[in-house]
Amino acid sequence: MVEASSMSIVSLIMNATVVVKLVMALLILASLMSWYMIAGRFRVLGRAQRAGRAFEERFWSSDDLASLYNHCRQNPNESSGTEAIFRAGFQEFVRLSKSTRGAAAVMDGSQRAMRVALQREQTRLTRHLPFLATVGSTSPYVGLFGTVWGIMHSFMALANVKQASLSVVAPGIAEALIATAIGLFAAIPAVMAYNRFSAQSDALLTENEMFAEEFSSVLHRQAHGREG
């Protein structure tokens, strides 16, 4: 008979082979890092969504873009992608407008500045998402490796006994199943978080692109009005 104490989770982990212990430690580390990044992405994306909507309300209710720009430059909100696009585009628009360049050159420069700001915002919003995708896709396979190794070790133990019994193979199979469970525990939250954060960041980037187009139209009218 296999003693219940020897089949506890802690006992199985402590008595596991070195390879299976390394697999479990790697999966636990990946899970802890995933949860840390999940918490960080949750805060960043939540703040970006709230700050972006707040700035758009201020932008469309403002009659003076220069005053809004000065306020944003003195009190920048790093969580707002729309504000970053506005600052970059308007700063370039003002700089080029002071020269003798035509409206087309002014607009080209402003749009390039906004595209750069949009790319930076995309990098900020999607940071750590590749790691979550990697953990979600590879953890089950790492756990499966621990499972295969544990089962293989159990069957190898049968060669050293004259009579096979459950007490010989049960610990190895149990530790193998624990490795599988830890792999799934690491993978499932990572996949769910990756899917949610990817959709959320895509939605925010779409809103930023729409704002950049609308702001470009506003600058286009000002540039051609200045020429006229």
Side-chain angles (χ1 to χ4, degrees), residues 39-51:
R41 287 298 89 192
F42 182 82
R43 290 194 301 268
V44 168
L45 293 174
R47 289 172 182 171
Q49 191 173 31
R50 293 189 296 271

PDB file of all heavy atoms in Angstrom, residues 39-51:
ATOM      1  N   ALA A  39      -0.713  41.997 -13.922  1.00  0.00           N
ATOM      2  CA  ALA A  39      -1.108  43.115 -13.055  1.00  0.00           C
ATOM      3  C   ALA A  39      -0.632  44.444 -13.624  1.00  0.00           C
ATOM      4  O   ALA A  39      -1.365  45.442 -13.619  1.00  0.00           O
ATOM      5  CB  ALA A  39      -0.553  42.909 -11.643  1.00  0.00           C
ATOM      6  N   GLY A  40       0.597  44.471 -14.150  1.00  0.00           N
ATOM      7  CA  GLY A  40       1.125  45.692 -14.724  1.00  0.00           C
ATOM      8  C   GLY A  40       0.371  46.127 -15.963  1.00  0.00           C
ATOM      9  O   GLY A  40       0.036  47.304 -16.127  1.00  0.00           O
ATOM     10  N   ARG A  41       0.070  45.179 -16.854  1.00  0.00           N
ATOM     11  CA  ARG A  41      -0.669  45.515 -18.079  1.00  0.00           C
ATOM     12  C   ARG A  41      -2.089  45.968 -17.754  1.00  0.00           C
ATOM     13  O   ARG A  41      -2.631  46.846 -18.430  1.00  0.00           O
ATOM     14  CB  ARG A  41      -0.731  44.302 -18.999  1.00  0.00           C
ATOM     15  CG  ARG A  41       0.548  43.927 -19.711  1.00  0.00           C
ATOM     16  CD  ARG A  41       1.029  45.016 -20.643  1.00  0.00           C
ATOM     17  NE  ARG A  41       1.916  45.961 -19.957  1.00  0.00           N
ATOM     18  CZ  ARG A  41       2.295  47.122 -20.452  1.00  0.00           C
ATOM     19  NH1 ARG A  41       1.821  47.511 -21.623  1.00  0.00           N
ATOM     20  NH2 ARG A  41       3.104  47.911 -19.786  1.00  0.00           N
ATOM     21  N   PHE A  42      -2.689  45.378 -16.740  1.00  0.00           N
ATOM     22  CA  PHE A  42      -4.042  45.768 -16.348  1.00  0.00           C
ATOM     23  C   PHE A  42      -4.073  47.235 -15.934  1.00  0.00           C
ATOM     24  O   PHE A  42      -4.973  47.981 -16.321  1.00  0.00           O
ATOM     25  CB  PHE A  42      -4.526  44.868 -15.207  1.00  0.00           C
ATOM     26  CG  PHE A  42      -5.936  45.147 -14.764  1.00  0.00           C
ATOM     27  CD1 PHE A  42      -7.009  44.628 -15.459  1.00  0.00           C
ATOM     28  CD2 PHE A  42      -6.179  45.933 -13.647  1.00  0.00           C
ATOM     29  CE1 PHE A  42      -8.316  44.882 -15.053  1.00  0.00           C
ATOM     30  CE2 PHE A  42      -7.474  46.200 -13.232  1.00  0.00           C
ATOM     31  CZ  PHE A  42      -8.537  45.671 -13.944  1.00  0.00           C
ATOM     32  N   ARG A  43      -3.079  47.652 -15.156  1.00  0.00           N
ATOM     33  CA  ARG A  43      -3.023  49.048 -14.727  1.00  0.00           C
ATOM     34  C   ARG A  43      -2.719  49.975 -15.902  1.00  0.00           C
ATOM     35  O   ARG A  43      -3.360  51.027 -16.051  1.00  0.00           O
ATOM     36  CB  ARG A  43      -1.956  49.216 -13.641  1.00  0.00           C
ATOM     37  CG  ARG A  43      -2.305  48.581 -12.308  1.00  0.00           C
ATOM     38  CD  ARG A  43      -1.382  49.076 -11.217  1.00  0.00           C
ATOM     39  NE  ARG A  43       0.017  48.759 -11.531  1.00  0.00           N
ATOM     40  CZ  ARG A  43       0.632  47.657 -11.146  1.00  0.00           C
ATOM     41  NH1 ARG A  43      -0.039  46.750 -10.432  1.00  0.00           N
ATOM     42  NH2 ARG A  43       1.888  47.439 -11.448  1.00  0.00           N
ATOM     43  N   VAL A  44      -1.746  49.611 -16.731  1.00  0.00           N
ATOM     44  CA  VAL A  44      -1.338  50.484 -17.838  1.00  0.00           C
ATOM     45  C   VAL A  44      -2.472  50.686 -18.832  1.00  0.00           C
ATOM     46  O   VAL A  44      -2.780  51.819 -19.237  1.00  0.00           O
ATOM     47  CB  VAL A  44      -0.101  49.889 -18.547  1.00  0.00           C
ATOM     48  CG1 VAL A  44       0.155  50.606 -19.874  1.00  0.00           C
ATOM     49  CG2 VAL A  44       1.126  49.996 -17.648  1.00  0.00           C
ATOM     50  N   LEU A  45      -3.126  49.608 -19.230  1.00  0.00           N
ATOM     51  CA  LEU A  45      -4.193  49.719 -20.223  1.00  0.00           C
ATOM     52  C   LEU A  45      -5.422  50.426 -19.652  1.00  0.00           C
ATOM     53  O   LEU A  45      -6.098  51.176 -20.363  1.00  0.00           O
ATOM     54  CB  LEU A  45      -4.559  48.331 -20.750  1.00  0.00           C
ATOM     55  CG  LEU A  45      -3.465  47.643 -21.570  1.00  0.00           C
ATOM     56  CD1 LEU A  45      -3.871  46.220 -21.928  1.00  0.00           C
ATOM     57  CD2 LEU A  45      -3.148  48.425 -22.833  1.00  0.00           C
ATOM     58  N   GLY A  46      -5.713  50.183 -18.377  1.00  0.00           N
ATOM     59  CA  GLY A  46      -6.833  50.876 -17.757  1.00  0.00           C
ATOM     60  C   GLY A  46      -6.600  52.378 -17.686  1.00  0.00           C
ATOM     61  O   GLY A  46      -7.491  53.175 -17.998  1.00  0.00           O
ATOM     62  N   ARG A  47      -5.394  52.769 -17.292  1.00  0.00           N
ATOM     63  CA  ARG A  47      -5.069  54.189 -17.236  1.00  0.00           C
ATOM     64  C   ARG A  47      -5.072  54.809 -18.633  1.00  0.00           C
ATOM     65  O   ARG A  47      -5.533  55.947 -18.810  1.00  0.00           O
ATOM     66  CB  ARG A  47      -3.699  54.384 -16.588  1.00  0.00           C
ATOM     67  CG  ARG A  47      -3.664  54.088 -15.093  1.00  0.00           C
ATOM     68  CD  ARG A  47      -2.239  54.122 -14.580  1.00  0.00           C
ATOM     69  NE  ARG A  47      -2.172  53.790 -13.162  1.00  0.00           N
ATOM     70  CZ  ARG A  47      -1.036  53.581 -12.502  1.00  0.00           C
ATOM     71  NH1 ARG A  47       0.120  53.684 -13.140  1.00  0.00           N
ATOM     72  NH2 ARG A  47      -1.053  53.268 -11.221  1.00  0.00           N
ATOM     73  N   ALA A  48      -4.548  54.089 -19.606  1.00  0.00           N
ATOM     74  CA  ALA A  48      -4.515  54.610 -20.975  1.00  0.00           C
ATOM     75  C   ALA A  48      -5.920  54.846 -21.503  1.00  0.00           C
ATOM     76  O   ALA A  48      -6.176  55.854 -22.186  1.00  0.00           O
ATOM     77  CB  ALA A  48      -3.756  53.638 -21.879  1.00  0.00           C
ATOM     78  N   GLN A  49      -6.833  53.947 -21.208  1.00  0.00           N
ATOM     79  CA  GLN A  49      -8.207  54.101 -21.678  1.00  0.00           C
ATOM     80  C   GLN A  49      -8.875  55.309 -21.036  1.00  0.00           C
ATOM     81  O   GLN A  49      -9.510  56.123 -21.729  1.00  0.00           O
ATOM     82  CB  GLN A  49      -8.992  52.832 -21.370  1.00  0.00           C
ATOM     83  CG  GLN A  49     -10.350  52.762 -22.032  1.00  0.00           C
ATOM     84  CD  GLN A  49     -11.000  51.403 -21.834  1.00  0.00           C
ATOM     85  OE1 GLN A  49     -10.787  50.740 -20.822  1.00  0.00           O
ATOM     86  NE2 GLN A  49     -11.797  50.985 -22.785  1.00  0.00           N
ATOM     87  N   ARG A  50      -8.726  55.458 -19.732  1.00  0.00           N
ATOM     88  CA  ARG A  50      -9.346  56.593 -19.038  1.00  0.00           C
ATOM     89  C   ARG A  50      -8.705  57.919 -19.444  1.00  0.00           C
ATOM     90  O   ARG A  50      -9.410  58.911 -19.697  1.00  0.00           O
ATOM     91  CB  ARG A  50      -9.239  56.395 -17.520  1.00  0.00           C
ATOM     92  CG  ARG A  50     -10.070  55.233 -16.985  1.00  0.00           C
ATOM     93  CD  ARG A  50     -10.090  55.249 -15.469  1.00  0.00           C
ATOM     94  NE  ARG A  50      -8.761  55.040 -14.915  1.00  0.00           N
ATOM     95  CZ  ARG A  50      -8.247  53.855 -14.631  1.00  0.00           C
ATOM     96  NH1 ARG A  50      -8.946  52.747 -14.872  1.00  0.00           N
ATOM     97  NH2 ARG A  50      -7.036  53.743 -14.106  1.00  0.00           N
ATOM     98  N   ALA A  51      -7.368  57.947 -19.520  1.00  0.00           N
ATOM     99  CA  ALA A  51      -6.680  59.193 -19.862  1.00  0.00           C
ATOM    100  C   ALA A  51      -6.962  59.602 -21.303  1.00  0.00           C
ATOM    101  O   ALA A  51      -7.106  60.794 -21.593  1.00  0.00           O
ATOM    102  CB  ALA A  51      -5.169  59.024 -19.650  1.00  0.00           C
TER     103      ALA A  51
END
